[in-house]
Amino acid sequence: MMQGHLEGGAAEPVPPRRYRVVARAAGWAVAVNGVATRPLPDRAAAERLAARLQAEADRLNRDQHRRAQ
């Protein structure tokens, strides 16, 4: 557990992450905010990974907003 004191008001909300599938020379990758995973051999695998990462990011974002209220 972390301890400490946050000075000032609440931190600015972080914009939601949007994972997308992009073509790479060696296959398909999942990208967010200018960074990408290593290439995956097929687009379907990249789409499944992007969906899992997006669902996790959405849950974390929702939980963050619940705690701020």
Side-chain angles (χ1 to χ4, degrees), residues 8-60:
E12 290 294 319
V14 176
R17 293 179 184 95
R18 294 290 168 234
Y19 290 88
R20 57 189 169 73
V21 175
V22 295
R24 294 286 188 231
W28 298 89
V30 178
V32 63
N33 296 335
V35 296
T37 63
R38 293 181 186 173
L40 299 163
D42 62 277
R43 184 179 178 110
E47 289 173 348
R48 285 191 304 272
L49 177 58
R52 280 196 321 257
L53 292 170
Q54 187 65 58
E56 183 176 345
D58 292 344
R59 277 192 308 273
L60 290 170

